[in-house]
Amino acid sequence: MKLHDIADIKTGITFRNRLLDNLDGEIEVIQMRDINTDLSISDRLVRISNEQIKAKHFLQPGQLILLAKGKYTKACMIESSEKKRVISSAFFSIRIKPTQKVLPEYLRWFLNLPQSETYFRSNASGTSMFSLPMSVLKNLDVAVPPIEVQEKIVHLVTDREKEKATLMELEEKKDSYLQQIMLHEVYKD
């Protein structure tokens, strides 16, 4: 099944000028630099005033955003937030159609697979800084197994992400502990 059969895909907003943070702004803008290596979205987003944006551009929980310009293509999920959020033109927004039985977490996993990345890279324009055309994204073949299989995959992915986070935390604690021991040896006199 093609991605455009499963989801509505739109481009982000093109801002004519550099965005300046408006501390009184009620809308947060997600830009390329706001995607963390763990595919989470930064807590420190530029804010803009409400009169510049139409309601149709606001992101909804469960919606996906896909980085379409830069060095890599990665999909992130929009979590619940009390703030209104929009994306810059460096992204596509992907909203699963209500008639489709596809979990957003499953689709995020699928879009981040190495096979999907290979498809995007081989069909994008540019070399080091590529740009993904919407037509390429729309025509991505997406395997859509039964919902029970999607749930199993999402569960496995979630467990693995938790495991990686725990291992990383352990490694940081070990490094800190070893540094304390070594510093103690250096300054024990």
Side-chain angles (χ1 to χ4, degrees):
M1 193 176 287
K2 301 288 185 194
L3 183 59
H4 69 85
D5 295 325
I6 297 168
D8 294 317
I9 305 165
K10 295 183 179 165
T11 57
I13 300 170
T14 301
F15 294 96
R16 298 196 193 291
N17 300 317
R18 183 172 177 255
L19 293 176
L20 299 175
D21 201 4
N22 175 355
L23 298 178
D24 296 324
E26 355 17 270
I27 299 172
E28 295 180 327
V29 181
I30 301 171
Q31 301 175 74
M32 247 169 47
R33 66 175 183 231
D34 298 320
I35 302 302
N36 300 320
T37 54
D38 66 353
L39 300 183
S40 63
I41 298 168
S42 173
D43 292 332
R44 301 186 67 171
L45 302 173
V46 169
R47 291 177 291 180
I48 60 174
S49 62
N50 201 12
E51 69 266 1
Q52 299 173 2
I53 306 297
K54 295 179 179 147
K56 69 179 183 177
H57 294 292
F58 296 145
L59 299 170
Q60 303 298 318
Q63 190 171 352
L64 302 174
I65 59 172
L66 182 86
L67 189 55
K69 295 178 179 161
K71 295 181 180 179
Y72 58 86
T73 305
K74 291 295 176 191
C76 305
M77 184 146 41
I78 300 301
E79 303 294 338
S80 292
S81 172
E82 294 180 17
K83 300 271 187 178
K84 295 176 183 172
R85 289 182 170 175
V86 295
I87 50 174
S88 72
S89 60
F91 295 91
F92 290 116
S93 71
I94 303 167
R95 186 175 302 176
I96 297 170
K97 294 178 181 179
T99 57
Q100 296 299 312
K101 294 185 179 180
V102 179
L103 297 173
E105 299 87 351
Y106 169 80
L107 186 56
R108 179 182 69 99
W109 169 79
F110 191 90
L111 290 170
N112 288 328
L113 284 174
Q115 296 87 333
S116 297
E117 179 79 20
T118 300
Y119 167 77
F120 294 144
R121 282 211 172 277
S122 64
N123 291 290
S125 56
T127 51
S128 63
M129 293 293 277
F130 73 92
S131 179
L132 182 66
M134 185 182 286
S135 59
V136 171
L137 179 60
K138 285 183 171 184
N139 287 305
L140 173 69
D141 282 316
V142 179
V144 182
I147 203 81
E148 301 80 27
V149 174
Q150 293 180 48
E151 288 170 344
K152 284 180 186 176
I153 290 170
V154 169
H155 182 70
L156 288 169
V157 169
T158 303
D159 284 353
R160 179 65 179 135
E161 287 171 354
K162 287 178 186 173
E163 180 183 24
K164 282 181 181 178
T166 301
L167 289 171
M168 193 188 238
E169 189 179 326
L170 276 171
E171 286 296 322
E172 288 171 3
K173 285 181 179 181
K174 280 175 26 181
D175 287 345
S176 176
Y177 179 69
L178 284 173
Q179 244 181 3
Q180 288 174 1
I181 290 172
M182 291 182 276
L183 284 171
H184 179 72
E185 287 297 315
V186 169
Y187 294 110
K188 71 178 180 182
D189 290 335

